[in-house]
Amino acid sequence: MDVEVRQSFPDDKHAADFDIEKIVTKHSAHHDVNIANEVLPHRKVHTVCRNCVWSEDGKLFAWACNEYTIQIMSADAITSNNQQMEDTLSVECNYPVTSLLFVSSNETVQDCGDNQGYQLLRWRENKTVMVVGMKSGRVRVINVRDGSILLELIDHKDHVSSLSVSPSLILVSASYDGTIKFWDLADDGNMFHSFLVANYTACRGVRHKVLSVAWSPDGARVATTGTFKAVVIFDMRNKEPGLTLSGHVNRVNRCQFSPDGTLLVSSSVDTTCIVWNSYTGVIICRLGHQFPEPCPWFPGESDTDVLDCAFSKTGLQVVTAADDGYLRFWDLHSPNSPVSICAVDNPLCCSFNQNGGFLAVGSTTGDLVIVQPTRTLPSLLQLCRLACNTSQHIQYDSVDKLVIPTTLKNYLRYDSF
């Protein structure tokens, strides 16, 4: 398959060629929260919004409004122009916060076992909790109602850069110590497995930081990225490495699976974002953020490092945040250039609200920006593809066995859009 490098033109001359997305509201850490410096005056607080996350049901939102403090609030409050946010819960963590994640239990977990009375984490009482990764290597599970600590998971030796959870409540944490670790939240956070990720890349024997981790929607695979310039996918059914995706030429900052788990998007310091077939490792397209494209042997020396990326609910739109101050919205039907852009000062992270169509963007200045992208209706074909690919009865490997036209088989595998 021929792969084209897609270039975007963020400068003022070409910005008029794109649709401009509207910023709904903006919140500043300098005004919306009491800085923790008032509690611990000897500690210097940096107002950097490294993480902003939505709960699975879209009702709650949380962001790290400064280095030590997170705010938990209703999604309605953060997406409106209500600056008071009276129901906001501010949680002081005492350690620098580096990653956030909402975890919601399911009915199976809530009803399982007779030992609920002996567990610290009672899912019948705490149907949604906040998981916080810290620079100290600690992982805390926090009650979203009062901010109390329910669990503290200690094993990482360096700061926890990313968190993700499977449908069966298996938490995976990535760390600068080069490992990813697996914790069973249905069993009070018991850690049962660990991988030293660099050992499964060309950088074996060299310590590399793991920067991002993501579960596939079916909970069968885990993707990781880091300073080893690749994406490593682990098959958790056999607890062994599956694929190593090589295509980036510098540090890979983030990765995320599409809603049906077939596609994987990764963003890198090499100024590109790659959309992969997560089962075969084939590159679907490469989204370039700098023109001309930097030389492969001298990448990353620019102001268009792609810091974060995310899929929309339909799985055919991707948003990227680059340190040139632009959000770019891409349509995989026609990825020649972004379909729209949005200027945001110093973007660092972004997160879609899958229910309401809002995008939260955190910045290096501690500000939080809420953007409402233009929403497009997915085609009936795409909805059918999502339904088929998320069905337990149709696995990717079994598509060839289906008694359907070859054109439809190619469509289900994203060989065509």
Side-chain angles (χ1 to χ4, degrees):
M1 177 184 293
D2 293 333
V3 179
E4 296 183 32
V5 177
R6 313 295 187 179
Q7 305 292 344
S8 62
F9 307 90
D11 54 88
D12 294 337
K13 179 179 178 181
H14 295 89
D17 297 338
F18 306 115
D19 294 331
I20 308 300
E21 297 293 352
K22 180 182 178 181
I23 294 178
V24 178
T25 183
K26 182 175 181 179
H27 303 269
S28 174
H30 302 285
H31 304 291
D32 293 335
V33 65
N34 293 324
I35 301 299
N37 215 8
E38 298 177 3
V39 180
L40 299 173
H42 64 280
R43 184 179 64 196
K44 184 178 180 180
V45 175
H46 302 281
T47 53
V48 177
C49 181
R50 297 185 182 278
N51 279 243
C52 50
V53 293
W54 310 81
S55 63
E56 186 177 352
D57 58 9
K59 295 181 180 179
L60 293 175
F61 178 81
W63 65 303
C65 57
N66 66 48
E67 197 173 16
Y68 294 87
T69 308
I70 62 175
Q71 284 191 332
I72 304 173
M73 64 201 72
S74 71
D76 291 337
I78 199 67
T79 54
S80 67
N81 288 319
N82 177 17
Q83 298 294 327
Q84 299 299 323
M85 295 188 289
E86 298 172 352
D87 296 331
T88 297
L89 173 65
S90 294
V91 181
E92 165 65 33
C93 295
N94 296 326
Y95 296 98
V97 175
T98 53
S99 52
L100 295 175
L101 178 70
F102 278 109
V103 176
S104 298
S105 65
N106 51 48
E107 294 181 358
T108 303
V109 174
Q110 293 172 23
D111 296 336
C112 72
D114 298 326
N115 62 340
Q116 286 281 334
Y118 301 99
Q119 292 186 347
L120 297 173
L121 189 55
R122 299 183 178 92
W123 287 107
R124 292 175 185 172
E125 302 173 9
N126 304 289
K127 295 181 174 60
T128 299
V129 297
M130 168 63 65
V131 183
V132 183
M134 304 182 194
K135 193 173 182 179
S136 63
R138 297 168 182 256
V139 178
R140 281 183 183 170
V141 182
I142 292 175
N143 189 322
V144 297
R145 295 191 297 269
D146 57 16
S148 59
I149 299 174
L150 301 174
L151 286 177
E152 190 156 51
L153 313 177
I154 303 175
D155 200 69
H156 282 298
K157 303 299 188 294
D158 208 334
H159 90 240
V160 180
S161 56
S162 182
L163 299 163
S164 185
V165 70
S166 72
S168 58
L169 293 188
I170 302 300
L171 175 72
V172 59
S173 56
S175 172
Y176 277 20
D177 63 12
T179 66
I180 59 172
K181 297 183 184 293
F182 296 84
W183 319 78
D184 188 354
L185 293 184
D187 186 23
D188 273 352
N190 176 45
M191 194 195 78
F192 62 91
H193 206 74
S194 178
F195 287 111
L196 185 61
V197 179
N199 284 348
Y200 305 98
T201 69
C203 303
R204 182 179 179 86
V206 180
R207 178 180 171 180
H208 280 272
K209 298 176 181 178
V210 184
L211 302 178
S212 177
V213 65
W215 275 104
S216 62
D218 61 358
R221 295 170 296 152
V222 168
T224 63
T225 67
T227 57
F228 40 84
K229 306 178 184 179
V231 182
V232 182
I233 299 178
F234 293 91
D235 183 354
M236 294 312 299
R237 289 168 295 191
N238 303 317
K239 293 184 176 58
E240 61 184 20
L243 286 174
T244 298
L245 310 182
S246 300
H248 289 293
V249 291
N250 207 319
R251 182 181 75 235
V252 186
N253 292 318
R254 287 289 183 270
C255 66
Q256 187 184 62
F257 283 96
S258 62
D260 62 3
T262 305
L263 300 182
L264 179 78
V265 63
S266 59
S267 59
S268 172
V269 173
D270 64 11
T271 76
T272 67
C273 181
I274 298 180
V275 180
W276 316 75
N277 183 313
S278 67
Y279 290 101
T280 64
V282 172
I283 297 177
I284 303 297
C285 61
R286 191 187 297 262
L287 311 175
H289 290 64
Q290 179 177 327
F291 182 83
E293 184 186 5
C295 297
W297 54 85
F298 195 65
E301 300 297 328
S302 69
D303 60 353
T304 49
D305 301 349
V306 189
L307 303 176
D308 205 354
C309 56
F311 270 108
S312 68
K313 184 178 181 180
T314 64
L316 288 179
Q317 286 76 40
V318 173
V319 61
T320 58
D323 63 0
D324 62 354
Y326 282 92
L327 299 177
R328 294 169 175 83
F329 298 84
W330 308 80
D331 189 334
L332 299 186
H333 280 114
S334 54
N336 292 322
S337 62
V339 294
S340 61
I341 60 175
C342 182
V344 176
D345 293 336
N346 305 302
L348 185 60
C349 59
C350 60
S351 175
F352 265 113
N353 176 353
Q354 301 290 12
N355 289 350
F358 292 100
L359 180 74
V361 184
S363 71
T364 57
T365 58
D367 293 330
L368 176 71
V369 175
I370 305 296
V371 180
Q372 188 170 20
T374 303
R375 304 185 70 179
T376 58
L377 290 176
S379 65
L380 183 57
L381 272 174
Q382 174 61 12
L383 292 176
C384 292
R385 175 160 57 182
L386 288 174
C388 290
N389 288 343
T390 54
S391 170
Q392 296 180 354
H393 305 289
I394 302 178
Q395 302 297 324
Y396 186 87
D397 296 337
S398 64
V399 170
D400 281 335
K401 301 177 182 178
L402 299 177
V403 187
I404 58 176
T406 303
T407 304
L408 287 179
K409 293 180 181 179
N410 293 338
Y411 187 79
L412 287 175
R413 291 189 296 245
Y414 287 89
D415 293 337
S416 63
F417 283 89

